[in-house]
Amino acid sequence: MTRSVAAIACGMPKAELHVHIEGTLEPELAFALAERNAVRLPYASVDALRAAYEFQDLQSFLDVYYAGASVLLHEQDFYDLAQAYLRRAAADHVVHAEIFFDPQTHTARGVPFEVVLDGLERALHDGLRALGVSSRLILCFLRHLPEADAFATLEQALPHLGRIHGVGLDSSERGHPPSKFERVFARCRELELPCVAHAGEEGPPAYIWEALDLLQVRRIDHGVRALEDERLVERLRAARIPLTVCPLSNVKLRVFPDMRRHNLKRLLDAGLAVTVNSDDPAYFGGYVNDNIRAVQDALDLSAADWRRIARTSFEASLVDEPTRARWIADLDAYFARK
Ligand code: ADE
Ligand code: ZN
């Protein structure tokens, strides 16, 4: 029996390189943690909360996302959150996940940096043992806050650098260009932390240029607006800078009016290194394989396209070369059986 392209892509081993752990907080867990921690959520029920997931743009989402994070207080809460994500990822044949976390969202509420890190790391450790999912943590600076706050967060991270595998930049993009964080990223590079940044999600191609030239990032998160600038496309293509694209997120946040109008296929056809990711799966309608199915329905990629996307997800990961090569060999073996 021949399997559909969607089934082949869903079953292939892959890495997820763009997922915010706070964005994996499903309404059911949010309510369970709210009760456990005696925190009041401004919604009457799980259904009412889910019904609030109608967004006009990035900011309207972030308002709900930061409100949801208020239920996360204790080490066990961060553990439960990450464990739930890893179970979903494993079910989608994700063998490696590079997970963003936003310490400032928690330290601003009095939750110690170590509580966040300890809970996430313990879940990741158990996830490797119980589910076989490998993972890395990427600390994101919130770009709507001043650079001084990012420096203070980096200071808190210093005793734990062996447990943090990279730094990123997220939150409200418009009006907060990468140049605002040039000095803190320079310091991160001195500390030999791999750097990535959200750019070109809502913001203009100029923000992608800044992320490359000023922050010297190795990956661009989203980057879909790169296609508006031919010179930029050439730069990204020549340097093989990966774009971690999040299709359902882009439709939910109205970067594209619907999936048929998403430019993923055009990014691939332009020769760019593209991966497919879930961003904030609890809010945007699903995990990696939900993204794959939605893209496949609308854009009809080939099995070769999906194989290339999975290969890129491994090549673009932060792990060492022998590990990447092993995953790519597993991917080749999977497609040899198809
Ligand atoms: N934080 C969580 N999700 C985000 C996104 N899609 N863009 C920017 N910041 C985010
Ligand atoms: Zn994101």
Side-chain angles (χ1 to χ4, degrees):
M1 191 182 75
T2 50
R3 292 168 75 200
S4 71
V5 172
I8 291 170
C10 287
M12 68 187 181
K14 52 187 110 34
E16 170 148 69
L17 304 180
H18 184 160
V19 57
H20 302 261
I21 201 64
E22 295 87 355
T24 70
L25 179 61
E26 293 286 345
E28 290 78 5
L29 182 58
F31 268 88
L33 294 180
E35 191 172 327
R36 189 158 97 188
N37 293 334
V39 173
R40 229 190 72 75
L41 279 172
Y43 301 92
S45 65
V46 165
D47 288 342
L49 179 53
R50 197 162 261 126
Y53 294 175
E54 276 297 325
F55 309 114
Q56 282 67 55
D57 57 11
L58 175 58
Q59 191 59 52
S60 64
F61 153 68
L62 289 171
D63 295 342
V64 178
Y65 164 88
Y66 293 128
S70 67
V71 301
L72 299 164
L73 291 180
H74 305 295
E75 196 250 21
Q76 188 64 39
D77 305 337
F78 292 93
Y79 179 93
D80 292 346
L81 179 67
Q83 184 188 53
Y85 163 69
L86 289 173
R87 286 182 175 154
R88 301 291 295 256
D92 283 0
H93 304 274
V94 169
V95 297
H96 176 69
E98 300 194 350
I99 300 174
F100 295 132
F101 70 113
D102 291 341
Q104 287 157 290
T105 300
H106 313 298
T107 54
R109 297 180 291 112
V111 178
F113 186 95
E114 289 73 18
V115 164
V116 181
L117 187 58
D118 289 352
L120 295 178
E121 193 185 47
R122 186 162 63 85
L124 269 39
H125 178 264
D126 289 354
L128 179 61
R129 265 197 347 209
L131 303 164
V133 179
S134 132
S135 48
R136 296 286 184 273
L137 283 174
I138 299 179
L139 182 162
C140 274
F141 300 118
L142 297 182
R143 70 200 304 160
H144 67 275
L145 297 175
E147 189 186 38
D149 293 22
F151 267 113
T153 302
L154 182 58
E155 197 65 36
Q156 291 176 306
L158 284 182
H160 311 288
L161 282 193
R163 309 161 68 190
I164 293 166
H165 305 97
V167 294
L169 184 65
D170 67 359
S171 194
S172 323
E173 187 179 12
R174 285 203 204 103
H176 302 285
S179 52
K180 180 176 165 186
F181 296 91
E182 191 175 348
R183 287 149 297 265
V184 76
F185 271 72
R187 180 72 189 121
C188 290
R189 291 198 310 277
E190 279 173 13
L191 294 166
E192 297 185 352
L193 284 164
C195 298
V196 301
H198 283 54
E201 177 185 18
E202 283 188 343
Y207 284 19
I208 302 177
W209 282 109
E210 284 191 11
L212 295 173
D213 292 335
L214 304 182
L215 307 188
Q216 297 179 34
V217 298
R218 63 162 69 200
R219 301 197 296 245
I220 297 285
D221 296 311
H222 294 294
V224 290
R225 289 195 58 191
L227 278 190
E228 295 168 28
D229 180 338
E230 250 175 62
R231 268 185 54 242
L232 178 57
V233 170
E234 187 44 35
R235 166 83 182 273
L236 293 166
R237 204 190 53 73
R240 276 197 68 72
I241 303 286
L243 305 183
T244 62
V245 175
C246 306
L248 281 172
S249 164
N250 294 151
V251 172
K252 267 294 212 184
L253 301 187
R254 307 192 187 198
V255 173
F256 298 97
D258 58 55
M259 196 61 88
R260 282 180 186 280
R261 244 93 56 96
H262 197 287
N263 66 7
L264 178 74
K265 176 75 177 146
R266 280 180 283 138
L267 292 167
L268 282 168
D269 291 346
L272 296 178
V274 173
T275 68
V276 167
N277 307 271
S278 68
D279 204 6
D280 300 284
Y283 294 90
F284 297 152
Y287 292 76
V288 173
N289 280 357
D290 298 303
N291 275 270
I292 287 176
R293 281 185 286 267
V295 165
Q296 189 55 27
D297 259 5
L299 302 178
D300 196 25
L301 303 191
S302 66
D305 289 329
W306 286 113
R307 182 177 182 169
R308 181 175 144 205
I309 286 167
R311 186 186 172 95
T312 302
S313 76
F314 295 130
E315 287 170 348
S317 71
L318 300 176
V319 304
D320 57 52
E321 172 51 31
T323 308
R324 286 201 298 259
R326 189 161 43 77
W327 286 331
I328 290 170
D330 290 345
L331 178 68
D332 290 343
Y334 173 83
F335 275 93
R337 292 195 300 271
K338 291 296 127 204

